[in-house]
């Protein structure tokens, strides 16, 4: 099984990164990003031992959910339009892209249970990236008190796609620092323990800087629907 072999290599890389950072590999969750693969490949990931699947569109999540149901823990990792919330809120376990009050209102209104959310932060400042400015995070998290169906379990960011290790580390360190600021507030509705950062090209660096969730697509499940 191709995914199983890929997972062996990724687990080895995670252990190496954790050793360098004096961390426990058990603290790292792999989110298999299945947006560019078939439901069959997603099922293969589950058979290989993956627990968490990540989708970035409600259509993709719903299509795979119809087949796989509740076997995986479902993560929504893409930019989420408020009008799309009703299409997937009953199927998703964790939303990684909470970044505005209007979206929080819609999640809170549509959910019939507590939804774990990560606040998306644009630490790189790139115009192409979604997310809050770092300076806005504390006020935003505090505002989540008004939405009883939302539990802020952490923060998420997308680093620049670059080989510049210093730039990557700077982004990841910034998110970690913001997480620590949130935790100092000891907000019962925001147990901000998770850091979703790092992808196929930079997850080892992200782990060294504090990531607890790494979102890995191509290196784990491949890229069937993109032809490569």
């Amino acid at each position: 099984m191709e995914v199983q072999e890929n997972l062996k290599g990724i687990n080895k890389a995670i252990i190496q990164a954790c050793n360098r950072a004096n961390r426990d590999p058990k603290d790292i969750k792999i989110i298999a990003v299945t947006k560019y693969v078939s439901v069959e490949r997603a099922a293969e990931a589950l058979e290989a031992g993956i627990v968490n699947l990540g989708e970035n569109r409600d259509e993709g999540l719903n299509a795979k959910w119809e087949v796989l149901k509740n076997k995986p823990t479902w993560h929504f990792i893409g930019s989420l339009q408020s009008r799309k919330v009703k299409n997937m809120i009953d199927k998703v376990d964790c939303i990684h892209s909470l970044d505005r009050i209007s979206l929080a209102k819609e999640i809170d209104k549509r959910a019939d249970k507590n939804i774990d959310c990560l606040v998306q932060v644009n630490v790189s400042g790139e115009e192409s990236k979604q997310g809050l400015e770092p300076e806005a995070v504390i006020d935003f998290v505090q505002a989540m008190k008004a939405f009883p169906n939302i539990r802020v379990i952490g923060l998420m960011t997308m680093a620049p796609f670059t080989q510049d290790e210093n730039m990557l580390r700077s982004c990841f360190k910034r998110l970690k620092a913001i997480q620590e600021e949130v935790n100092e507030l000891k907000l019962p509705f925001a147990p901000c323990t998770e850091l979703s950062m790092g992808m196929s090209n930079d997850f080892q660096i992200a782990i060294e800087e504090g990531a607890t969730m790494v979102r890995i697509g191509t290196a784990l499940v491949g890229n069937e629907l993109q032809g490569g």
Side-chain angles (χ1 to χ4, degrees):
M1 289 174 64
E2 182 183 340
V3 176
Q4 198 162 40
E5 285 304 308
N6 292 343
L7 182 59
K8 286 180 183 177
I10 288 166
N11 279 331
K12 183 177 180 181
I14 287 173
I15 290 169
Q16 291 170 343
C18 285
N19 286 342
R20 289 192 292 271
N22 195 27
R23 297 186 62 196
D24 187 343
K26 293 177 183 175
D27 293 336
I28 311 301
K29 299 181 185 74
I30 298 172
I31 315 296
V33 179
T34 53
K35 63 181 179 178
Y36 292 137
V37 299
S38 63
V39 67
E40 290 79 15
R41 183 60 64 86
E44 186 183 333
L46 296 180
E47 290 172 24
I50 291 292
V51 175
N52 302 283
L53 297 186
E55 284 284 328
N56 74 327
R57 295 171 67 242
D58 63 305
E59 297 92 341
L61 188 149
N62 284 321
K64 291 187 175 73
W65 192 94
E66 288 302 320
V67 178
L68 302 174
K69 306 295 184 186
N70 290 324
K71 289 179 184 176
T73 297
W74 291 102
H75 297 251
F76 192 87
I77 59 173
S79 178
L80 181 56
Q81 296 175 308
S82 296
R83 63 185 178 87
K84 298 275 192 175
V85 170
K86 64 180 183 294
N87 300 338
M88 43 69 83
I89 194 66
D90 59 331
K91 301 177 180 70
V92 74
D93 299 290
C94 183
I95 295 172
H96 288 231
S97 48
L98 178 59
D99 63 354
R100 59 198 187 279
I101 295 293
S102 59
L103 179 57
K105 286 180 179 177
E106 191 67 14
I107 292 170
D108 187 63
K109 181 175 80 173
R110 298 286 182 179
D112 58 7
K113 62 179 180 180
N114 277 2
I115 300 293
D116 288 344
C117 293
L118 294 104
V119 173
Q120 184 168 356
V121 187
N122 184 358
V123 289
S124 68
E126 294 173 279
E127 289 186 10
S128 61
K129 295 282 197 299
Q130 302 288 325
L132 292 164
E133 294 181 0
E135 297 77 17
V137 173
I138 295 297
D139 286 347
F140 182 83
V141 171
Q142 289 176 318
M144 293 304 100
K145 183 178 181 179
F147 307 107
N149 283 328
I150 289 178
R151 197 167 71 115
V152 179
I153 63 165
L155 307 177
M156 184 273 258
T157 199
M158 294 181 67
F161 191 79
T162 178
Q163 298 296 315
D164 186 336
E165 184 175 322
N166 289 332
M167 183 181 293
L168 292 171
R169 287 193 187 279
S170 175
C171 286
F172 297 143
K173 284 178 187 291
R174 185 82 188 273
L175 196 70
K176 177 65 177 177
I178 299 168
Q179 179 205 27
E180 290 172 348
E181 285 184 57
V182 174
N183 283 332
E184 285 175 9
L185 300 174
K186 294 182 167 51
L187 303 172
F189 55 89
C192 194
T193 57
E194 305 289 349
L195 280 180
S196 173
M197 57 189 195
M199 298 164 68
S200 289
N201 62 307
D202 58 12
F203 71 89
Q204 286 182 281
I205 296 171
I207 288 169
E208 290 172 17
E209 299 300 341
T212 63
M213 295 177 171
V214 290
R215 309 180 304 274
I216 305 179
T218 306
L220 178 57
V221 295
N223 206 352
E224 295 175 316
L225 306 185
Q226 294 283 299

